[in-house]
Amino acid sequence: MKISLNFNRKKKKKVSEIKININGNVIMNRKTTAQIFKFTSIKELCEFISEIQNDIRLKILINYKDSKFYVFKTESTKGKRQLFEPNQLDTKEIASLFKGFYSQDEFNFDESFFKKSKKMIKKLKCEIAPTDFEVDENYLVSEDRYINGIYIEHLNSCLKFDNIIKNMDSWLSIDCYKIDKEFILNKLAQMKEDNVLEKKFTNFIVNRLDDITEKINTENIFQCEVKVLLYGSNLDDLNSENKMIRNNISNNYCTSYIPQERINTRKLFEKCIYPNLNMEIIHSISDNNLFNMIGGSGN
């Protein structure tokens, strides 16, 4: 088992580790763009989320120890002109944020990064990229820190992450979107009219459809994937903190797991920090319970 980092080994820049394309104060990804917003409090962050439209992809990133609160807002680029909005990060701030996920070194910004040539974009990625990056079965090493991630596999409304990880060098990462309740209710009504509910759902779901419909009618429901990214300069200490987090999650009647294969460990790291990736472990949660879980004003 590794105990401490070897700072004297020869380092080689790995530009390919950076999976983002920062262009004009947004992150470009095929036919979508992601704007990143920074807030000074959980309250401000929750107010922003509560006003979001249906089906817009969000990533919530919270570091309780350093009081850092971000929301990534991902939308289709089709027919839309991106305007710079209040609280939105600019190019330099986006690059500095991602630099921090890989290294504790300061981001060195060059005015040439504003140019939109492929050469300048590559230069920007090179500045963000770690000088050393390794993936093991259940943790990563990036320059001066060990990193591992935790998936929240089963979730309930009593979990409060602001109590669990508030003093740790960690990020809470939540990918989510608000469901289109009108579309779902119309779809259920049509399926009921066509007598196909029993064919589409199990008896357990069919017997609870009235309760489900009432919940959709009266609450704003988010589909969420919840993860925790944890950092440490010593692997034994990191594993100890990881165990403490998972025990606290278990004590709140939730379950979690850590990937044990390199490909999934790397994948979880990327899902924690990059926007607009597909969700695999999906939780349905009301906005009040979501806000309560992250330390906001949920009921």
Side-chain angles (χ1 to χ4, degrees):
M1 176 181 291
K2 296 182 182 178
I3 302 300
S4 60
L5 298 173
N6 180 3
F7 295 103
N8 297 318
R9 58 189 170 191
K10 186 177 179 181
K11 296 184 177 182
K12 183 179 179 182
K13 186 71 74 174
K14 294 185 178 180
V15 180
S16 62
E17 304 301 342
I18 302 302
K19 303 294 182 69
I20 57 172
N21 181 11
I22 304 172
N23 191 344
N25 302 323
V26 297
I27 298 174
M28 306 292 296
N29 182 16
R30 297 180 181 175
K31 295 182 180 181
T32 65
T33 60
Q35 299 165 283
I36 304 179
F37 300 87
K38 183 177 182 179
F39 303 95
T40 59
S41 68
I42 291 287
K43 181 181 178 181
E44 286 185 4
L45 182 147
C46 291
E47 288 173 352
F48 179 87
I49 296 170
S50 65
E51 297 297 324
I52 210 71
Q53 295 178 1
N54 297 332
D55 296 327
I56 291 178
R57 294 278 173 165
L58 300 178
K59 175 184 286 292
I60 303 166
L61 271 176
I62 300 175
N63 186 314
Y64 292 103
K65 183 179 179 181
D66 295 335
S67 297
K68 294 180 178 179
F69 313 104
Y70 298 95
V71 174
F72 294 37
K73 177 184 174 185
T74 300
E75 297 181 88
S76 170
T77 57
K78 186 177 181 181
K80 291 186 178 181
R81 180 185 175 189
Q82 292 288 351
L83 300 176
F84 196 75
E85 301 181 30
N87 299 323
Q88 184 180 344
L89 300 193
D90 60 23
T91 302
K92 180 179 179 180
E93 292 168 322
I94 294 173
S96 296
L97 174 62
F98 278 94
K99 176 82 171 180
F101 292 128
Y102 289 100
S103 172
Q104 292 180 308
D105 293 339
E106 290 292 322
F107 176 74
N108 295 313
F109 191 76
D110 188 317
E111 291 298 324
S112 65
F113 295 153
F114 283 116
K115 298 179 181 179
K116 295 184 179 181
S117 68
K118 290 183 179 180
K119 184 178 180 181
M120 289 302 104
I121 291 174
K122 183 177 180 180
K123 185 178 178 182
L124 176 61
K125 288 185 176 184
C126 190
E127 174 55 36
I128 299 172
T131 55
D132 189 66
F133 189 86
E134 298 177 12
V135 183
D136 213 307
E137 277 71 21
N138 56 12
Y139 66 90
L140 308 97
V141 185
S142 184
E143 297 187 358
D144 46 7
R145 291 178 294 178
Y146 291 101
I147 311 167
N148 68 17
I150 304 171
Y151 267 119
I152 311 304
E153 190 174 25
H154 173 72
L155 186 66
N156 68 37
S157 58
C158 66
L159 193 63
K160 289 180 67 67
F161 280 102
D162 55 325
N163 292 333
I164 293 175
I165 60 174
K166 62 182 178 181
N167 296 318
M168 297 182 180
D169 186 7
S170 61
W171 288 93
L172 173 64
S173 176
I174 303 175
D175 290 279
C176 62
Y177 64 90
K178 186 190 296 183
I179 67 169
D180 186 339
K181 61 172 65 180
E182 184 178 348
F183 173 82
I184 293 176
L185 291 172
N186 288 339
K187 193 71 174 178
L188 287 173
Q190 184 62 51
M191 292 169 67
K192 185 176 181 179
E193 185 178 326
D194 294 340
N195 295 316
V196 295
L197 287 174
E198 289 76 9
K199 296 180 181 178
K200 299 293 184 179
F201 302 110
T202 63
N203 288 336
F204 177 78
I205 298 296
V206 171
N207 293 335
R208 297 182 66 239
L209 271 180
D210 288 342
D211 292 336
I212 293 171
T213 301
E214 177 66 18
K215 186 178 181 67
I216 294 173
N217 262 315
T218 58
E219 299 179 355
N220 291 315
I221 308 298
F222 282 82
Q223 298 286 82
C224 304
E225 182 177 74
V226 185
K227 304 163 285 290
V228 175
L229 194 64
L230 190 64
Y231 290 85
S233 58
N234 180 283
L235 186 56
D236 284 343
D237 291 343
L238 182 72
N239 287 333
S240 178
E241 289 192 337
N242 186 299
K243 184 177 180 180
M244 186 186 307
I245 291 171
R246 297 188 65 206
N247 284 341
N248 284 332
I249 289 171
S250 178
N251 291 337
N252 282 276
Y253 308 102
C254 305
T255 59
S256 62
Y257 77 92
I258 311 167
Q260 299 296 318
E261 304 83 21
R262 292 172 112 178
I263 186 171
N264 290 326
T265 297
R266 170 66 177 273
K267 183 178 180 181
L268 176 55
F269 173 74
E270 293 176 351
K271 284 173 70 67
C272 284
I273 68 172
Y274 293 129
N276 199 36
L277 293 177
N278 293 329
M279 293 189 289
E280 297 173 70
I281 302 176
I282 299 176
H283 310 282
S284 296
I285 182 170
S286 71
D287 53 357
N288 277 330
N289 286 338
L290 173 62
F291 299 153
N292 185 62
M293 182 176 69
I294 65 178
S297 56
N299 294 329

